[in-house]
Amino acid sequence: MSLSDASSAFDWDIFCRVVDNFGDIGVCWRLARCLARDHGCAVRLWVDDWGSFARLCPAVAEAGDMLRAQGVEVRRWCEPFPDVAPARAVVEAFACEPPPGYVEAMAACTPRPQWINLEYLSAEDWVEGCHGLSSPHPRLGLTKRFCFPGFTPRTGGLLREKGLIAERERFRADVAMRRDWLAGLGIPAVSDDTRLVSLFAYEQPQLPELLRVWAAAPLPTLLLVPEGRVLGDVLRFFGRDEAKAGEILAAGGLTAAVLPFLDAADYDRLLWACALNFVRGEDSFVRAQWAAQPFVWHIYEQDEAVHHDKLEAFLARYLAGLDAPAADATRAFWKAWNGEGSLAAAWPAFAAALPRLASHTRRWSDGLAESQDLASALVQFSELSVK
Ligand code: TRH
C-alpha cells in the first residue's frame, strides 16, 4: 500500500524540537493533550529530546522510542525517520521543519494534510497581520499556514484546557484543600498575613537584594521555589551552595521552601495558591495569566534584544486600564526583573500597587478566558471537524 492510499490513523502529528529549557516541549505537550482530551482527536507527538521531555512527562524516561501517555501517542523524533502515514493535520512547532521524507509523504496524500506552523507567543501588533498567512511549498504543492498564538481575537489565542477556570475556582474556594495540598508538599501552615510567592525564573543576579528587603519587611513572605535555574540565586542569599527539594530555609520574615519540579497539575495549583507568581518563557507565563494573580514575567532573551519590544508590547496590553501609579510601578519592577533597573528600589512601589494589580489581573484573565482557546482555534484552522 502506498502512503497516498493509506488513511492515517492520526488526526494530528505535532513535531517538536527542543531548543532549550522546557518551553518548546511544554507548549507542544500541552497542545497535544488539549487536542486529545478536549477535542477527542487522535494525536501523535514527535519529540527529539527525551531528556527534557522526561521532566514534564516522567513516563518517557522508562520508555523506548514510543509510549502512550495521557491520551497521546508520543514518539521519539530520530533519524532515519520511520516510514509513517502522515496525519490529517500536521503542526510544525516553532518552524522546526518536519523530516524531508515525511513532507514528501504529505505531498503524496489525498487529500493533502493541513500543514500548520505554530509560532511563538507575542503581544506585538504585527502578529494579527501574520496570523493565518500561507506559504506555498516551492515544489510539492503543499501549503503551510502560520498560526500565531496571542491575546486578541484576531490571533490563535492561548492554550486553555476545558474546565480549567472552574477547577481553579474550586481550588481557591476550598481553604482546606489548599492547606492540605501545601502540607502534602511539606509546607508548614502559615499565618493568614503571609504572602505566598512562587518563583520560576532564569538566573537572577539581583535576587539576594530583593530577598533582603523581604526578610526585613513587617509582613512575612513564604517563597516557593521549584528546583531550577534560579535556585542558586535564592541559596546565595541564605549563604548556601546547595539545597534539596523539601528543604526549608528562613531569615527574618522570609521563609523559602525548595520544591521538586512539579507535574503540570500541581504547578497550576502552586500558581493558584500564591498571591504573586514569578514566571518565565512562554507556557508558565500563560499559566500565570490563567491563575489570575499578579505575576512578573522573566522574558526569554533573544538576539539583538528583540525581547525588549516583546516585553513592552505585553505590558502595554496588560496594563491598559490600570491606574497610572500602579501601572508605572508594575512596569518599573518588571523591567528591573528583566535587567533594567534595581529590583530592591522598584519593590516598594510595586508592593504598594499589588492590591490594585490583583483586581486588574483578575479582569485581564477573565477577559482572555472569553476568547477562543488555541487548541480550538487550531481545530477550526485545520478544518478537521470537532468530534
Ligand atoms: O522553560 P522555559 O524558559 O521555556 C522556554 C524555552 O527556553 C524556549 O526555547 C523559549 O523559546 C520559550 O521559553 C519562550 O519556560 P516555559 O515556557 O514557562 O516552560 C516551562 C514549562 O515547565 C511550563 O510548561 C511549565 C512547566 N513547569 C512544570 O511543569 N513544573 C514546574 O515545577 C515548573 C517550575 C514548570
Side-chain angles (χ1 to χ4, degrees), residues 267-287:
Y267 184 59
D268 275 336
R269 289 184 196 110
L270 176 69
L271 298 173
W272 301 343
C274 288
L276 175 62
N277 293 306
F278 288 80
V279 289
R280 72 183 206 194
E282 179 161 327
D283 191 54
S284 59
F285 167 58
V286 173
R287 302 320 277 179

Side-chain angles (χ1 to χ4, degrees), residues 177 215 261 346:
M177 193 196 287
F261 193 84

Side-chain angles (χ1 to χ4, degrees), residues 191-317:
S191 59
D192 288 345
D193 63 350
T194 301
R195 175 183 284 140
L196 265 62
V197 179
S198 80
L199 178 60
F200 179 47
Y202 306 115
E203 289 74 12
Q204 181 50 271
Q206 294 190 60
L207 189 63
E209 284 123 72
L210 180 64
L211 298 188
R212 207 160 293 129
V213 175
W214 290 358
L219 287 183
T221 300
L222 172 59
L223 182 64
L224 301 162
V225 195
E227 285 177 313
R229 288 172 59 175
V230 77
L231 182 58
D233 297 303
V234 176
L235 296 182
R236 236 171 352 107
F237 169 72
F238 288 99
R240 294 274 298 266
D241 290 331
E242 51 186 46
K244 291 202 184 68
E247 279 198 61
I248 296 188
L249 311 166
L254 172 67
T255 305
V258 183
L259 304 181
F261 193 84
L262 302 169
D263 69 24
D266 275 340
Y267 184 59
D268 275 336
R269 289 184 196 110
L270 176 69
L271 298 173
W272 301 343
C274 288
L276 175 62
N277 293 306
F278 288 80
V279 289
R280 72 183 206 194
E282 179 161 327
D283 191 54
S284 59
F285 167 58
V286 173
R287 302 320 277 179
Q289 293 174 69
W290 298 136
Q293 301 280 47
F295 62 101
V296 180
W297 183 25
H298 212 173
I299 194 165
Y300 180 75
E301 273 191 36
Q302 288 173 281
D303 292 342
E304 295 165 32
V306 291
H307 57 284
H308 288 303
D309 293 342
K310 217 168 149 178
L311 185 72
E312 269 305 328
F314 179 75
L315 280 170
R317 284 191 197 281

